[in-house]
Amino acid sequence: MSREKILAAVKFNQPTAMPLPDMEVLNTLTDVRTDLASKYKTIATAGGSFVYEVSGFDEIKTIINNEFKAGVKVISALNELSDYIYAETVKHEDGHNFADVELTVLRTKLGVAENGALWLTEKDMGSRVLPFIAQHLAVVIGKDDFVPTMAQAYQVIADADYGYGSFISGPSKTADIEQSLVIGAHGPRSLSVFILS
Amino acid sequence: MSTAPTKDHPHLAADFNRDEPRVNWHDETLWWVRAKRDIAAHKLPEWELLRETASQIKFNVLSNLSTYLEQFEANAIKNGIIVHWAADATEHNQIVHSLLEQKGITKMVKSKSMLTEECHLNEYLKEQGIDVIDSDLGERIVQLANEPPSHIVLPCIHKKKEEIGDIFHEHLGSAKGESDPKILTETARQHLREVFLTRRAALTGVNFAVAETGEFVICTNEGNADMGAHLAEIHIASMGIEKLIPERKHLGVFLRLLTRSATGQPITTYSSHFSKPQNGTEIHIVIVDNGRSIQLGREEFRNSLKCIRCGACMNTCPVYRKSGGHSYHTAVAGPIGSILAPNLDMKKYADLPFASTLCGSCSNVCPVKIDIHDQLYKWRQVIVKEGYSPKAKTMAMKAMALTLASPTLYRMGGKTGRLVFKYAPFAVNNKLNPWYNQREMPKAPDESFGEWYAKRKGAKNS
Ligand code: SF4
């Protein structure tokens, strides 16, 4: 069997055991004076996201109502945004049913200042395909929910149990044609981030 | 797909070099990407610490690989993932095909996987009557053009937008003469959305697999891997045995390095962690050896298995930039590909370790600190010793060995060389001298170091 053959060959050919490096230094390289939310905003904006600092959910609703036509299909995973289809109620539907979703609104508790990434798990998404198949994506995050770098992000999720999770750092994009950046490849054409104070 | 080229690197590079403005454009584009990498790297004060840490983690992985593979398998199975093992490309392709056959699936959507390029999966499946569509935009473009990718991160970096426009006009019905990247991307988006919504099977590569948790990570900017995988009944992930890392927290190191090294981006748009299949669907993972365990046993080349496929060594390589990815006639082009390929077939790829100036730029940018140029140099020695050295190089090297072995011949050779440069430059600057192809030869100094030193010594003593 190939399994045994491969494992035996690997075992035979691998060098003597080398230790793992110390990761503590990287974990503690944190500039505590930085305003993480504003650093996040700068990086995320440069990566093509629209970042709004808001004081409450009414403000988010107003922005969404201004940006999107009335009547389009919006799915929200937030209790506070109850005007829309609630993700929890449709999460067992076949992913193909979401092909006509205009906007998905999700909530996260972890954002990374150094690269604009937001951590979202299957639980936050309802259905895994939702943040990808929707024409637009919006994510709500608290202003204290940011960590400086990926090192601290993985400290937060070190033992988390999830079926699927993704760091999402902007709208879907490509630069495959002569390195020209085009926003809106296969996934959402925009990412709006609402930082709640 | 493409037919296997019969020409070696110098001849394929010469073909590429016929269009000089294109070579310059290719060269400048990749250098621009390399410059973006530098800016990103310099923004992180801990950059060198990250590289060193990544390199050490990979050392640990290689030295415990059999344990990590078993640990990963056990945890993946616990998570509900179905694990397969493939000793070589043929077995990999057969496993993928049998999984599709069992479900009666004849159409598959695929996101980027250099391993499947290495295994020639697309050609194999086509012969079995399976239709495969590549969903990464760059890969879709080269697939429509019936070519392999020319770069591991930027598959169609060698193509002009006008050529892509022509391809899309022919295959996807875009307007004739349309070459605006925005409009072409939108055309691809519409076409591929239809594909994602109708395919029952999706295949993806694997960027990292975590032994501790049994999950694996896929990084894309387009979101194509996720669109494919989440909408399909069956998700097949192909992974080389070297993709493992010990613990989830180690992802933090590699995700910080990968895209900064690749294109200067701080992270890909999507870094997706697949741990368990969603309800009613299956995840299969195919763990592939295909020569990797042999490379692990070659002490001098073992380090090449640390590669995280960022492409930085290609972007910085003066030979790659000026000879194009296809001139390497192997799935992974450029400096790292030239180390990996001879491991698979020393005779077929004997030319590749010679396709380098050994300037060391590749080793300097490598995020996992692979001693790339040293390994290329070592391959040359192995290849010459085993009798596989490229013909033209053998003759030149024999003459060189003879000259270097004899002080008299060496001095004479230098003198003659300088005289030839001075009075008969056409004898050097001609097609018979492979070094002159696409190169200006340097002016010869008036005297040799030996002559200068003797004179200087004489002057001093007097
Ligand atoms: S060898 Fe290093 S620089 Fe080249 S692709 Fe691999 S990781 Fe990147």
Side-chain angles (χ1 to χ4, degrees):
Chain A
M1 244 185 79
S2 292
R3 178 185 183 275
E4 275 62 45
K5 210 169 90 188
I6 296 168
L7 285 172
V10 169
K11 201 165 187 169
F12 180 76
N13 285 325
Q14 69 196 20
T16 25
M18 300 276 283
L20 275 168
D22 172 28
M23 299 273 293
E24 220 18 61
V25 197
L26 287 167
N27 294 344
T28 50
L29 283 177
T30 304
D31 184 356
V32 283
R33 289 159 308 172
T34 325
D35 173 359
L36 294 177
S38 62
K39 183 165 183 200
Y40 170 86
K41 189 176 178 179
T42 310
I43 305 272
T45 307
S49 304
F50 301 107
V51 183
Y52 305 88
E53 288 169 86
V54 293
S55 54
F57 288 95
D58 283 341
E59 227 177 295
I60 296 176
K61 275 185 219 166
T62 312
I63 295 169
I64 292 178
N65 289 340
N66 283 343
E67 295 293 323
F68 293 89
K69 274 194 255 136
V72 296
K73 190 164 170 183
V74 179
I75 296 186
S76 139
L78 287 87
N79 286 319
E80 294 89 343
L81 299 173
S82 52
D83 303 354
Y84 313 115
I85 302 167
Y86 190 37
E88 191 60 29
T89 61
V90 293
K91 74 176 189 190
H92 294 298
E93 281 185 26
D94 186 306
H96 295 76
N97 293 351
F98 303 126
D100 57 348
V101 173
E102 187 67 13
L103 172 69
T104 296
V105 193
L106 305 175
R107 159 121 217 189
T108 177
K109 291 216 153 44
L110 178 61
V112 188
E114 72 161 333
N115 58 22
L118 302 165
W119 173 247
L120 292 155
T121 64
E122 190 166 20
K123 255 219 203 103
D124 307 315
M125 297 170 183
S127 168
R128 282 184 198 189
V129 80
L130 261 180
F132 299 92
I133 202 168
Q135 294 290 333
H136 300 271
L137 176 64
V139 180
V140 180
I141 183 169
K143 88 172 191 331
D144 298 325
D145 292 337
F146 294 98
V147 295
T149 77
M150 291 303 274
Q152 293 82 21
Y154 277 102
Q155 283 184 298
V156 175
I157 60 170
D159 306 310
D161 184 27
Y162 48 78
Y164 168 82
S166 189
F167 280 103
I168 298 181
S169 69
S172 159
K173 53 171 140 342
T174 181
D176 273 331
I177 301 175
E178 284 201 15
Q179 287 295 293
S180 330
L181 182 68
V182 181
I183 305 275
H186 310 298
R189 299 171 187 273
S190 74
L191 171 64
S192 305
V193 183
F194 299 104
I195 302 180
L196 259 179
S197 57
Chain B
M1 288 296 278
S2 61
T3 47
T6 47
K7 291 180 177 176
D8 62 2
H9 181 270
H11 289 97
L12 290 163
D15 291 346
F16 184 76
N17 283 347
R18 259 184 222 123
D19 185 349
E20 202 176 314
R22 180 186 290 261
V23 175
N24 294 341
W25 164 79
H26 189 260
D27 180 22
E28 281 157 21
T29 310
L30 286 158
W31 186 254
W32 178 66
V33 180
R34 148 82 209 252
K36 289 200 291 182
R37 172 253 171 227
D38 291 350
I39 295 168
H42 292 150
K43 275 193 189 141
L44 284 192
E46 66 265 47
W47 184 254
E48 285 306 314
L49 176 63
L50 273 173
R51 285 179 76 209
E52 184 56 36
T53 309
S55 175
Q56 284 180 25
I57 295 171
K58 281 287 184 180
F59 252 135
N60 170 270
V61 169
L62 295 180
S63 69
N64 295 293
L65 191 54
S66 61
T67 318
Y68 287 141
L69 282 166
E70 286 180 285
Q71 195 190 349
F72 172 76
E73 180 191 41
N75 286 324
I77 292 172
K78 225 189 282 164
N79 292 342
I81 295 174
I82 302 154
V83 182
H84 310 262
W85 298 76
D88 55 24
T90 313
E91 192 175 6
H92 165 264
N93 294 348
Q94 284 166 351
I95 291 170
V96 174
H97 181 227
S98 74
L99 289 174
L100 299 173
E101 221 175 15
Q102 279 162 28
K103 299 208 173 287
I105 295 175
T106 54
K107 292 172 168 191
M108 184 171 78
V109 63
K110 184 168 140 268
S111 82
K112 196 141 76 191
S113 151
M114 291 316 293
L115 175 59
T116 60
E117 290 294 325
E118 176 186 319
C119 294
H120 300 287
L121 176 72
N122 283 15
E123 292 96 318
Y124 175 86
L125 289 180
K126 200 174 172 187
E127 281 163 25
Q128 318 300 317
I130 308 258
D131 180 47
V132 180
I133 288 192
D134 281 315
S135 59
D136 171 86
L137 178 59
E139 288 214 322
R140 185 67 186 131
I141 291 166
V142 287
Q143 185 182 37
L144 289 172
N146 210 18
E147 286 174 20
S150 74
H151 185 292
I152 57 174
V153 175
L154 319 162
C156 67
I157 190 74
H158 60 293
K159 285 226 176 296
K160 297 266 193 180
K161 59 180 192 281
E162 290 76 16
E163 293 165 321
I164 297 167
D166 289 345
I167 294 167
F168 277 27
H169 172 65
E170 188 189 333
H171 295 277
L172 306 180
S174 58
K176 195 170 170 59
E178 183 58 68
S179 66
D180 181 346
K182 264 204 193 108
I183 294 170
L184 295 177
T185 303
E186 182 63 28
T187 306
R189 177 182 170 100
Q190 301 300 343
H191 148 70
L192 283 161
R193 199 168 171 86
E194 193 54 40
V195 172
F196 289 126
L197 285 166
T198 51
R199 301 269 149 146
R200 294 166 53 204
L203 188 141
T204 68
V206 168
N207 287 88
F208 306 98
V210 185
E212 173 199 37
T213 58
E215 74 197 300
F216 59 92
V217 176
I218 305 172
C219 306
T220 73
N221 280 322
E222 298 179 9
N224 56 317
D226 290 283
M227 275 293 269
H230 300 330
L231 287 170
E233 292 162 36
I234 165 170
H235 169 191
I236 306 169
S238 295
M239 131 184 174
I241 54 170
E242 82 284 15
K243 294 283 172 182
L244 275 170
I245 59 168
E247 297 167 42
R248 186 184 282 163
K249 68 176 182 209
H250 295 127
L251 285 170
V253 175
F254 293 105
L255 293 183
R256 296 183 78 189
L257 286 164
L258 180 63
T259 47
R260 285 186 172 100
S261 300
T263 58
Q265 262 181 278
I267 190 170
T268 43
T269 303
Y270 303 103
S271 307
S272 298
H273 303 46
F274 291 80
S275 174
K276 297 168 193 157
Q278 18 178 22
N279 273 343
T281 70
E282 291 172 15
I283 297 181
H284 294 256
I285 187 148
V286 190
I287 303 176
V288 185
D289 182 347
N290 204 35
R292 286 162 178 75
S293 62
I294 300 172
Q295 190 86 321
L296 187 64
R298 295 183 195 269
E299 197 185 331
E300 293 181 321
F301 305 110
R302 168 180 299 151
N303 257 346
S304 61
L305 295 173
K306 290 179 176 177
C307 176
I308 58 171
R309 303 285 192 270
C310 71
C313 56
M314 304 170 190
N315 302 341
T316 200
C317 177
V319 177
Y320 176 91
R321 281 186 276 119
K322 296 194 186 75
S323 58
H326 288 153
S327 67
Y328 293 82
H329 59 93
T330 172
V332 179
I336 185 64
S338 301
I339 297 172
L340 298 173
N343 176 60
L344 277 178
D345 187 338
M346 212 185 288
K347 187 165 179 229
K348 188 169 167 198
Y349 301 113
D351 53 325
L352 295 185
F354 294 87
S356 167
T357 61
L358 303 182
C359 69
S361 184
C362 46
S363 308
N364 283 330
V365 296
C366 178
V368 287
K369 287 195 163 182
I370 301 173
D371 48 339
I372 306 173
H373 72 294
D374 282 338
Q375 291 194 34
L376 289 169
Y377 180 62
K378 285 172 190 158
W379 259 132
R380 293 183 185 186
Q381 291 162 321
V382 173
I383 284 166
V384 171
K385 215 162 95 197
E386 305 271 324
Y388 292 127
S389 50
K391 280 257 149 41
K393 297 250 156 75
T394 318
M395 292 296 290
M397 274 193 302
K398 270 195 182 133
M400 193 160 82
L402 198 71
T403 316
L404 290 177
S406 151
T408 322
L409 267 181
Y410 177 77
R411 276 194 295 273
M412 257 178 58
K415 209 165 231 155
T416 325
R418 286 193 304 282
L419 286 175
V420 171
F421 263 117
K422 205 161 172 186
Y423 299 110
F426 51 86
V428 187
N429 296 349
N430 70 31
K431 288 261 177 270
L432 291 175
N433 177 359
W435 270 101
Y436 179 59
N437 283 336
Q438 288 78 41
R439 266 185 211 92
E440 289 291 332
M441 292 305 283
K443 279 223 177 67
D446 291 334
E447 53 187 2
S448 76
F449 175 77
E451 287 165 353
W452 171 82
Y453 188 73
K455 246 204 269 172
R456 194 169 166 274
K457 218 169 132 197
K460 253 188 149 178
N461 288 347
S462 64

